[in-house]
Amino acid sequence: KRRDGAMVTLLTGVVMVLVVCHTPKTFINLYESYHMLCYGKMSAEPLWSKIVIKLSHLLLSISSAVNILIYSAKDFKFRAILGGFVRRLSFVNWFGKEDSEDINDDLMVTMGRNCSVS
């Protein structure tokens, strides 16, 4: 039940970030669609529209960045897998080759499973 509660909190956070960050883009799309249907092609975008589009792009980037932070903060298994993945990447980058057996063993111990990662 504790894990279920944590997952509910995690998914609620992800959905809230998604809704908040995608709302400006939705309004701009609705405005542009309404304008096209009623008046035809837009000759020039209003200043407020340009500002909201820039804000929307920023919020969409923030949404992507915040989701991984939410998962990392709330889900132990996600943190363990992400940590193993980062260690694997850093080992490959620093030494130019991969010692996959050691990294896979560390990852499996962290995850607490008897399976292999390829």
Side-chain angles (χ1 to χ4, degrees), residues 10 15 18 27 37 43 53 60 62 94 105 111:
L10 181 142
V15 169
L18 180 93
F27 282 124
L37 289 173
S43 59
I53 288 171
L60 293 175
I62 289 172
W94 282 102
D105 291 344
M111 291 175 56

Side-chain angles (χ1 to χ4, degrees), residues 80-81 83-85 87-88 91 99-113 115 117:
I81 292 170
F85 182 71
R87 281 192 302 275
R88 171 180 260 165
F91 187 84
D99 188 4
S100 62
E101 289 183 20
D102 293 340
I103 295 170
N104 285 342
D105 291 344
D106 291 344
L107 184 58
M108 292 307 111
V109 167
T110 306
M111 291 175 56
R113 293 190 209 162
C115 59
V117 175

Side-chain angles (χ1 to χ4, degrees), residues 49-95:
S49 174
K50 291 178 183 179
I51 293 170
V52 172
I53 288 171
K54 296 292 184 189
L55 175 67
S56 173
H57 291 164
L58 175 66
L59 288 174
L60 293 175
S61 298
I62 289 172
S63 172
S64 298
V66 167
N67 282 340
I68 197 165
L69 296 176
I70 293 171
Y71 279 110
S72 296
K74 291 290 183 184
D75 191 7
F76 173 75
K77 287 184 180 180
F78 180 82
R79 257 192 325 263
I81 292 170
L82 181 64
F85 182 71
V86 169
R87 281 192 302 275
R88 171 180 260 165
L89 285 179
S90 64
F91 187 84
V92 170
N93 289 339
W94 282 102
F95 298 105

Side-chain angles (χ1 to χ4, degrees), residues 1-78:
K1 290 190 176 197
R2 182 175 176 212
R3 173 118 171 108
D4 289 343
M7 290 306 289
V8 167
T9 304
L10 181 142
L11 293 175
T12 302
V14 168
V15 169
M16 286 175 44
V17 167
L18 180 93
V19 168
V20 168
C21 291
H22 286 260
T23 299
K25 182 65 176 165
T26 302
F27 282 124
I28 287 294
N29 288 342
L30 289 172
Y31 171 77
E32 289 175 348
S33 298
Y34 173 78
H35 194 277
M36 291 287 289
L37 289 173
C38 292
Y39 307 109
K41 186 176 179 181
M42 294 177 68
S43 59
E45 292 182 26
L47 178 60
W48 68 267
S49 174
K50 291 178 183 179
I51 293 170
V52 172
I53 288 171
K54 296 292 184 189
L55 175 67
S56 173
H57 291 164
L58 175 66
L59 288 174
L60 293 175
S61 298
I62 289 172
S63 172
S64 298
V66 167
N67 282 340
I68 197 165
L69 296 176
I70 293 171
Y71 279 110
S72 296
K74 291 290 183 184
D75 191 7
F76 173 75
K77 287 184 180 180
F78 180 82

